[in-house]
Short mmCIF file of all heavy atoms in Angstrom, two decimals:
data_model
loop_
_atom_site.label_atom_id
_atom_site.label_comp_id
_atom_site.label_asym_id
_atom_site.label_seq_id
_atom_site.Cartn_x
_atom_site.Cartn_y
_atom_site.Cartn_z
N GLY S 26 33.62 -22.11 -15.73
CA GLY S 26 32.70 -21.10 -16.27
C GLY S 26 32.70 -19.77 -15.54
O GLY S 26 31.96 -18.88 -15.90
N VAL S 27 33.50 -19.63 -14.50
CA VAL S 27 33.49 -18.40 -13.71
C VAL S 27 34.91 -17.98 -13.39
O VAL S 27 35.72 -18.80 -12.95
CB VAL S 27 32.76 -18.60 -12.36
CG1 VAL S 27 32.67 -17.29 -11.62
CG2 VAL S 27 31.39 -19.20 -12.55
N LEU S 28 35.20 -16.71 -13.62
CA LEU S 28 36.47 -16.18 -13.15
C LEU S 28 36.15 -15.45 -11.85
O LEU S 28 35.66 -14.33 -11.86
CB LEU S 28 37.04 -15.23 -14.21
CG LEU S 28 38.42 -14.64 -13.94
CD1 LEU S 28 39.45 -15.75 -13.80
CD2 LEU S 28 38.82 -13.72 -15.07
N ALA S 29 36.40 -16.10 -10.72
CA ALA S 29 35.93 -15.56 -9.44
C ALA S 29 36.84 -14.43 -8.94
O ALA S 29 36.37 -13.46 -8.36
CB ALA S 29 35.84 -16.67 -8.41
N ASN S 30 38.14 -14.56 -9.15
CA ASN S 30 39.08 -13.49 -8.81
C ASN S 30 40.02 -13.31 -9.99
O ASN S 30 40.55 -14.29 -10.50
CB ASN S 30 39.94 -13.86 -7.58
CG ASN S 30 39.14 -13.88 -6.28
OD1 ASN S 30 39.42 -14.67 -5.40
ND2 ASN S 30 38.13 -13.03 -6.19
N SER S 31 40.21 -12.08 -10.44
CA SER S 31 41.19 -11.90 -11.52
C SER S 31 42.16 -10.79 -11.14
O SER S 31 41.87 -9.61 -11.25
CB SER S 31 40.50 -11.62 -12.85
OG SER S 31 39.79 -10.41 -12.82
N GLY S 32 43.31 -11.20 -10.65
CA GLY S 32 44.36 -10.25 -10.31
C GLY S 32 44.05 -9.37 -9.12
O GLY S 32 44.21 -8.16 -9.18
N VAL S 33 43.59 -9.97 -8.04
CA VAL S 33 43.23 -9.18 -6.86
C VAL S 33 44.44 -8.97 -5.96
O VAL S 33 45.17 -9.92 -5.66
CB VAL S 33 42.12 -9.88 -6.06
CG1 VAL S 33 41.78 -9.09 -4.81
CG2 VAL S 33 40.88 -10.08 -6.91
N CYS S 34 44.66 -7.74 -5.54
CA CYS S 34 45.68 -7.44 -4.53
C CYS S 34 44.97 -6.96 -3.27
O CYS S 34 44.03 -6.18 -3.36
CB CYS S 34 46.63 -6.36 -5.02
SG CYS S 34 47.55 -6.85 -6.48
N PHE S 35 45.46 -7.42 -2.13
CA PHE S 35 44.76 -7.13 -0.89
C PHE S 35 45.74 -7.29 0.26
O PHE S 35 46.58 -8.18 0.22
CB PHE S 35 43.60 -8.14 -0.74
CG PHE S 35 42.70 -7.86 0.42
CD1 PHE S 35 41.67 -6.95 0.29
CD2 PHE S 35 42.87 -8.51 1.63
CE1 PHE S 35 40.82 -6.68 1.35
CE2 PHE S 35 42.03 -8.25 2.70
CZ PHE S 35 41.01 -7.34 2.56
N ASP S 36 45.69 -6.40 1.25
CA ASP S 36 46.60 -6.60 2.39
C ASP S 36 45.98 -6.10 3.69
O ASP S 36 45.05 -5.31 3.69
CB ASP S 36 47.93 -5.89 2.13
CG ASP S 36 47.80 -4.39 2.27
OD1 ASP S 36 46.88 -3.85 1.62
OD2 ASP S 36 48.57 -3.77 3.03
N VAL S 37 46.49 -6.62 4.78
CA VAL S 37 46.05 -6.22 6.12
C VAL S 37 47.27 -6.02 6.99
O VAL S 37 48.19 -6.84 6.95
CB VAL S 37 45.21 -7.32 6.81
CG1 VAL S 37 44.33 -6.72 7.87
CG2 VAL S 37 44.39 -8.11 5.82
N VAL S 38 47.27 -4.94 7.76
CA VAL S 38 48.37 -4.75 8.71
C VAL S 38 47.83 -4.95 10.12
O VAL S 38 46.64 -4.78 10.34
CB VAL S 38 49.02 -3.35 8.58
CG1 VAL S 38 49.67 -3.20 7.22
CG2 VAL S 38 47.99 -2.26 8.80
N PRO S 39 48.70 -5.32 11.07
CA PRO S 39 48.23 -5.58 12.43
C PRO S 39 47.51 -4.37 13.01
O PRO S 39 47.91 -3.23 12.78
CB PRO S 39 49.51 -5.87 13.20
CG PRO S 39 50.49 -6.32 12.18
CD PRO S 39 50.13 -5.60 10.92
N GLY S 40 46.46 -4.63 13.75
CA GLY S 40 45.75 -3.57 14.44
C GLY S 40 44.74 -2.82 13.61
O GLY S 40 44.20 -1.81 14.05
N GLU S 41 44.46 -3.30 12.41
CA GLU S 41 43.46 -2.59 11.60
C GLU S 41 42.31 -3.51 11.19
O GLU S 41 42.43 -4.73 11.22
CB GLU S 41 44.10 -1.99 10.34
CG GLU S 41 44.34 -3.01 9.25
CD GLU S 41 44.53 -2.39 7.86
OE1 GLU S 41 44.29 -1.20 7.69
OE2 GLU S 41 44.91 -3.15 6.94
N VAL S 42 41.19 -2.85 10.83
CA VAL S 42 40.08 -3.59 10.23
C VAL S 42 40.04 -3.21 8.76
O VAL S 42 39.91 -2.04 8.42
CB VAL S 42 38.74 -3.20 10.88
CG1 VAL S 42 37.61 -3.99 10.24
CG2 VAL S 42 38.78 -3.45 12.37
N HIS S 43 40.20 -4.21 7.93
CA HIS S 43 40.11 -3.95 6.49
C HIS S 43 38.80 -4.53 6.00
O HIS S 43 38.58 -5.73 6.08
CB HIS S 43 41.30 -4.59 5.77
CG HIS S 43 41.47 -4.08 4.37
ND1 HIS S 43 42.65 -4.11 3.70
CD2 HIS S 43 40.59 -3.51 3.52
CE1 HIS S 43 42.51 -3.59 2.49
NE2 HIS S 43 41.25 -3.22 2.36
N ALA S 44 37.89 -3.68 5.51
CA ALA S 44 36.59 -4.17 5.07
C ALA S 44 36.65 -4.55 3.60
O ALA S 44 37.36 -3.93 2.81
CB ALA S 44 35.53 -3.10 5.27
N LEU S 45 35.92 -5.61 3.26
CA LEU S 45 35.87 -6.08 1.88
C LEU S 45 34.42 -5.97 1.43
O LEU S 45 33.52 -6.55 2.05
CB LEU S 45 36.36 -7.52 1.82
CG LEU S 45 36.63 -8.15 0.46
CD1 LEU S 45 37.59 -7.30 -0.35
CD2 LEU S 45 37.18 -9.55 0.64
N LEU S 46 34.21 -5.18 0.40
CA LEU S 46 32.85 -4.93 -0.07
C LEU S 46 32.68 -5.46 -1.49
O LEU S 46 33.65 -5.66 -2.21
CB LEU S 46 32.58 -3.42 -0.11
CG LEU S 46 32.18 -2.72 1.18
CD1 LEU S 46 32.03 -1.24 0.91
CD2 LEU S 46 30.89 -3.30 1.70
#
Side-chain angles (χ1 to χ4, degrees):
Chain S
V27 184
L28 184 60
N30 290 147
S31 63
V33 178
C34 298
F35 187 84
D36 73 309
V37 203
V38 295
E41 78 161 350
V42 180
H43 195 156
L45 191 55
L46 278 178

